[in-house]
Amino acid sequence: MNGWHILYRGSLSSCNYGCDYCPFAKTSNSVDELQQDQRALDRFVAWVGETRRDIGVLITPWGEALVHRYYRRALVTLSRMAHVRRIAIQTNLAAPIDDLLDADRDALALWTTFHPSQTSLDRFTARCHEMDAAAIRYSVGVVGIREHFDAIAELRARLRPDVYLWVNASKHDPAYYQPGEVERLRAVDPYFHWNLPRYPSRGGSCRAGETAFTVAGDGGVRRCHFVGEIIGNIYEPGFDDALKPRPCPAETCGCHIGYVHRPELKLDGLFGAGLLERIPENWPKLYPRFAPARC
Ligand code: SF4
Ligand code: SF4
């Protein structure tokens, strides 16, 4: 495929939640910092508008972005660009979605995560039902720690059957899961096993840095979130000369947003057009038990 998959992450670092397992710095942002983040986002949106090629964007903030109206407006603007095949964002879904009703639903998608210690199933699923009514495409995920198992089962029962519910594996302890627990989670997410390992990746091929890349608020380009080397800047002419195949320099790769770009895993075939928002292309056709009942 000739298009680009772009992960955008500005300087926003604040979140309305405080999950114990959060890997990001839990900070608050001043008004000045938010304005700076907004200017950077506006500049990125303008750049996408001028870059007339097939583009998919996933916004992956350090904190929660959808609580800020300027992010909701950016999603709407990007969704309406004819050359933007997908605009997606990672979110805890706490914010109202009213502003998103102006978006082009063919391009918009949300990567939502349920955090059981921060909100209730009722509140989270009520927002999911609002998105169903608004015909907004979304996936739902949960961190697969033991304390969440019951909530995961209850969430699966409450979601529309054809909404894909993914589970992120706990990877701090390679022996974390006890006998039967992986099977229990695979009964909810049949693709859970893809997220279980940290894949050895050093020297392996990867489309990150070629057709997929990460953009920071200042325009700096890295091949992915997990490799620090800056390979260019989107605001400099000819930056795309730096986009080319190169071997992975990291020991392992363990996040969906990274390993889906490794050709040997063939996950681009599994996720297809839903790669950025984490919805398998044929979901739920391959798993009829998740398909809506016929009248
Ligand atoms: S909602 Fe996400 S960003 Fe916010 S504290 Fe939880 S894991 Fe971190
Ligand atoms: S394999 Fe993972 S860590 Fe390595 S370049 Fe690709 S996405 Fe980045």
Side-chain angles (χ1 to χ4, degrees), residues 1-6 47-57 78 81-87 106-107 210-213 239 243 272-273 276:
M1 84 93 111
N2 298 317
W4 286 341
H5 293 294
I6 300 176
W47 174 83
V48 172
E50 291 160 7
T51 308
R52 299 242 159 230
R53 60 181 299 162
D54 179 72
I55 287 179
V57 178
L78 287 165
M81 294 178 182
H83 60 293
V84 173
R85 101 186 83 85
R86 179 72 75 232
I87 169 63
D106 288 339
E210 183 186 7
T211 56
F213 55 93
F239 93 93
L243 300 179
L276 287 174

Side-chain angles (χ1 to χ4, degrees), residues 184-207:
R184 181 175 175 181
L185 293 174
R186 283 194 70 184
V188 171
D189 176 6
Y191 303 119
F192 175 64
H193 59 288
W194 285 111
N195 191 257
L196 265 174
R198 292 196 61 84
Y199 297 96
S201 57
R202 183 181 287 279
S205 67
C206 181
R207 286 183 289 268

Side-chain angles (χ1 to χ4, degrees), residues 7 198-209 212 223-227 246-263:
L7 301 186
R198 292 196 61 84
Y199 297 96
S201 57
R202 183 181 287 279
S205 67
C206 181
R207 286 183 289 268
R223 55 185 307 181
C224 68
H225 282 328
F226 317 105
V227 175
R246 39 167 87 73
C248 174
E251 283 305 322
T252 61
C253 185
C255 276
H256 172 94
I257 57 175
Y259 63 67
V260 288
H261 300 300
R262 302 188 64 214

Side-chain angles (χ1 to χ4, degrees), residues 89-166:
I89 188 168
Q90 295 178 326
T91 174
N92 61 29
L93 210 52
I97 60 165
D98 308 33
D99 290 338
L100 302 181
L101 300 182
D102 293 331
D104 181 336
R105 310 292 204 283
D106 288 339
L108 178 69
L110 303 189
W111 160 315
T112 77
T113 307
F114 173 54
H115 300 285
S117 66
Q118 306 296 305
T119 189
S120 68
L121 265 171
D122 284 348
R123 283 178 58 191
F124 186 84
T125 54
R127 193 73 85 209
C128 291
H129 298 151
E130 284 176 38
M131 295 203 295
D132 293 338
I136 293 174
R137 181 177 166 83
Y138 64 99
S139 69
V140 176
V142 188
V143 177
I145 54 176
R146 202 159 288 120
E147 297 86 327
H148 291 173
F149 285 1
D150 289 343
I152 290 170
E154 179 68 20
L155 177 60
R156 178 64 275 171
R158 292 204 199 184
L159 290 173
R160 222 181 56 211
D162 55 326
V163 171
Y164 175 54
L165 171 57
W166 48 265

